[in-house]
Amino acid sequence: MASTAGQPQFRYTQPPSKVLHLRNLPWECTEEELIELGKPFGKIINTKVNVGANRNQAFVEFADLNQAISMVSYYASSSEPAQVRGKTVYLQYSNRQEIVNSKNTGDVASNVLLVTIEGVEAGDVSIDVLHLVFSAFGFVHKIATFEKSAGFQALVQFSDPNTATSAKNALDGRSIPRYLLPEHVGLCSLRITFSAHNDLNVKFQSHRSRDYTNPYLPVAPSAIDGTGQFGIGPDGKRREPESNVLLASIENMQYAVTLDVLRSVFTAFGTVQKIAIFEKNAGFQALIQYPDVATAVTAKEALEGHCIYDGGFCKLHLSYSRHTDLNVKVNNDRSRDYTSPNPGLLPNQLSILGQQPSAFQTTVSAVGGMQVPQSSSLVYSGNNYAGGALPPVQDGVAGVQPVQDWQLNQLSPHPQGPNGNVHSSLPFLGFARNQMYMTTAATPPPPVFPGQSPLSLAPYTSHTTFPGLSPMQNHSGPPSSYIGSGITSLAGQGPYLGASPMPSYNHQQMPMPAGGGVPPPSGVPYYT
DNA sequence: AGCACA
């Protein structure tokens, strides 16, 4: 026998097989094209196309071994290489003797999608980001990610093939928005096919796999670092020191997040001393100051990844600020010192309180969710609305009453402790760790804006495109409790992330029902 | 351009 010692795995010296491995195919290559290619040599009885992370490999199986041999032999000596769509195709014997699962790859609609994320490494796209992206089309039951030879892939399980199909149609070939990715990542496009699986077997919640239907699944320790989507490496670097001041960024901010809303949420864990809101790169951020570190730690642990509103809206991401004492210059809609003598002021009763005019200087800025030492300083002058008046209510929007109900709530301190049931009109919904998915696992939440791709650049006016699913109409009163909404949440990780963040997000043009549309629920604040 | 959903 020929020596096999030290033989490289892929050589033309491989033993013949009636299965041929083809590579360097155009990624859109079809089964028909492969059959055409092989037809002169024999009968192709099976194919498997779109193989590999780049979808540029395939297998063909001839009815007879000699047919495969004749094809390989022909092209081995031919001056004309095998081609598909003008691309040279490389052939060799497969190291398997038959194709399994042949017809299923990518063709048959399934509730599970196989997603290849091109141009990234596994650490670049968190499972939360994937969840966010795919949740726009329906309840995502499970996600499993893995790295294969050539790329980072994910299996995304929906409840049914139709939902999966809508996600596939909308997202295949699209890119994940840059703002959801670490800055170093370039283009990051999705290739999506149907999986042959129908139900993923997720054994634990981790940074690689998630079962959003099972609250009892053990949580892998690696999943509890609470760093969320912001690209913290698995080595645990960039672990911020704890602080009594939390930096909050908010994902999917379809509703206003006002000072008062924030205070309501964070007050559940202790006295909120000061809050400052600012914008960074069209993203919303806020600093929340507690009297002590322990309170901040508790709040961070409990709130990280949770959504302020039911339906996946306004998901909180928390980190520790490097600040320990915010220097709030004025009390208005953007910054507030609750330790000042007028803690209960309504926004429209605010006066500009020059608490500490001389010390008016802060040095906080933030980039991409992380604070930056001393770049362009940001001062909480909160001067967007001169005179401290509320921003004007937009014309033609019936019933928009900025935060009146919130005011009432947030003036009564500590409506509940972290473990109690949340006051029904509190905006905050999912407090406790492990308090996830309190409803029956069989009840997924309503889909959010089906067909509306989070990757699309459509403006938020598409709210009105799906009236039956508009967040406004999902709430006839104050936002319903997150608990009981059927939304899975994972301690320190992502609860439901249903709605669609827009790259072009601009909260100032936001959720406005069409003229004469359904009035918003009381208690749901609006941007105006 | 090198073997098929962890």
Side-chain angles (χ1 to χ4, degrees):
Chain A
M1 243 356 246
S3 163
T4 56
Q7 192 176 39
Q9 186 175 3
F10 306 109
R11 298 297 270 206
Y12 289 103
T13 54
Q14 268 185 288
S17 164
K18 61 187 191 331
V19 180
L20 301 184
H21 176 221
L22 287 69
R23 53 202 155 82
N24 201 39
L25 293 159
W27 76 270
E28 58 285 8
C29 177
T30 64
E31 175 183 42
E32 286 70 31
E33 288 169 305
L34 297 183
I35 292 174
E36 279 303 308
L37 189 67
K39 190 183 286 179
F41 306 96
K43 181 177 167 65
I44 289 177
I45 60 168
N46 230 334
T47 67
K48 192 181 190 71
V49 296
N50 292 140
V51 168
N54 294 328
R55 307 258 159 262
N56 61 359
Q57 299 174 48
F59 296 90
V60 297
E61 179 177 346
F62 281 97
D64 185 81
L65 177 64
N66 288 329
Q67 297 168 352
I69 292 173
S70 71
M71 185 169 182
V72 169
S73 303
Y74 175 81
Y75 285 113
S77 59
S78 168
S79 55
E80 291 289 315
Q83 289 190 327
V84 170
R85 302 191 191 197
K87 266 191 101 179
T88 295
V89 176
Y90 299 88
L91 313 168
Q92 65 190 148
Y93 298 118
S94 173
N95 52 20
R96 299 193 202 177
Q97 293 304 119
E98 61 181 8
I99 291 177
V100 294
N101 260 354
S102 89
K103 300 280 185 178
N104 281 352
T105 306
D107 287 16
V108 177
S110 160
N111 61 319
V112 179
L113 298 176
L114 172 63
V115 181
T116 303
I117 302 113
E118 299 178 336
V120 300
E121 296 175 43
D124 294 336
V125 180
S126 72
I127 207 161
D128 289 326
V129 166
L130 292 172
H131 187 219
L132 173 67
V133 166
F134 283 88
S135 291
F137 303 90
F139 179 61
V140 173
H141 286 232
K142 302 175 185 178
I143 298 179
T145 65
F146 48 93
E147 273 180 289
K148 295 193 10 81
S149 53
F152 180 47
Q153 294 187 296
L155 291 162
V156 180
Q157 178 174 341
F158 288 99
S159 43
D160 58 84
N162 281 345
T163 309
T165 302
S166 66
K168 176 179 183 290
N169 290 341
L171 298 179
D172 191 17
R174 305 295 300 272
S175 291
I176 293 177
R178 290 295 298 267
Y179 76 102
L180 290 174
L181 302 170
E183 291 173 12
H184 70 272
V185 175
L187 271 184
C188 168
S189 52
L190 304 174
R191 294 287 174 215
I192 305 179
T193 58
F194 292 110
S195 167
H197 288 123
N198 291 312
D199 189 24
L200 305 178
N201 185 12
V202 174
K203 300 212 171 54
F204 47 83
Q205 318 279 21
S206 77
H207 65 294
R208 297 177 60 91
S209 63
R210 214 61 74 74
D211 181 344
Y212 299 96
T213 68
N214 183 359
Y216 302 111
L217 210 55
V219 176
S222 61
I224 316 184
D225 64 8
T227 47
Q229 63 163 329
F230 291 114
I232 310 307
D235 51 9
K237 60 171 184 176
R238 214 204 116 235
R239 195 169 232 263
E240 333 126 294
E242 294 173 347
S243 165
N244 63 314
V245 178
L246 296 175
L247 172 66
S249 59
I250 295 186
E251 199 180 299
N252 191 20
M253 196 167 73
Q254 301 219 13
Y255 293 122
V257 175
T258 61
L259 280 176
D260 304 290
V261 169
L262 288 170
R263 193 188 184 201
S264 297
V265 170
F266 285 87
T267 288
F269 303 90
T271 304
V272 172
Q273 292 182 321
K274 302 174 186 178
I275 301 180
I277 290 176
F278 53 95
E279 300 285 330
K280 186 67 189 181
N281 298 334
F284 176 100
Q285 296 200 320
L287 290 162
I288 298 97
Q289 177 174 338
Y290 284 113
D292 55 83
V293 173
T295 307
V297 170
T298 304
K300 178 176 183 293
E301 302 254 315
L303 294 174
E304 169 57 33
H306 285 280
C307 298
I308 295 176
Y309 295 104
D310 186 11
F313 304 119
C314 303
K315 181 181 179 183
L316 283 167
H317 289 288
L318 299 173
S319 60
Y320 295 110
S321 169
R322 59 175 57 240
H323 294 270
T324 55
D325 190 20
L326 305 179
N327 190 355
V328 174
K329 178 199 173 195
V330 294
N331 285 340
N332 61 13
D333 66 315
R334 307 234 110 201
S335 60
R336 194 79 64 93
D337 181 349
Y338 297 100
T339 66
S340 71
N342 302 294
L345 285 181
L346 292 174
N348 57 3
Q349 296 171 333
L350 277 181
S351 58
I352 301 297
L353 304 175
Q355 296 293 321
Q356 297 150 319
S358 62
F360 174 14
Q361 188 176 36
T362 56
T363 56
V364 176
S365 65
V367 173
M370 290 179 291
Q371 286 171 270
V372 162
Q374 77 239 30
S375 55
S376 57
S377 293
L378 204 153
V379 175
Y380 313 133
S381 56
N383 51 7
N384 281 8
Y385 300 99
L390 270 183
V393 172
Q394 183 150 334
D395 290 344
V397 179
V400 173
Q401 297 169 0
V403 302
Q404 299 297 359
D405 292 345
W406 300 118
Q407 243 79 44
L408 295 175
N409 277 317
Q410 66 105 7
L411 287 178
S412 58
H414 298 251
Q416 291 292 336
N419 295 319
N421 289 326
V422 181
H423 189 287
S424 64
S425 52
L426 268 181
F428 170 62
L429 306 154
F431 276 112
R433 297 167 71 91
N434 301 323
Q435 200 171 11
M436 49 192 186
Y437 211 74
M438 300 302 281
T439 187
T440 65
T443 310
V448 179
F449 308 154
Q452 181 186 10
S453 165
L455 309 188
S456 87
L457 295 175
Y460 266 113
T461 51
S462 54
H463 267 278
T464 54
T465 310
F466 304 101
L469 293 161
S470 156
M472 294 83 168
Q473 297 188 357
N474 284 342
H475 301 281
S476 57
S480 62
S481 172
Y482 178 69
I483 298 162
S485 65
I487 293 166
T488 301
S489 118
L490 173 64
Q493 288 288 312
Y496 185 69
L497 285 170
S500 313
M502 296 299 162
S504 57
Y505 166 69
N506 178 347
H507 75 277
Q508 293 190 328
Q509 14 175 273
M510 266 220 322
M512 285 303 167
V518 178
S522 59
V524 177
Y526 280 77
Y527 272 108
T528 55

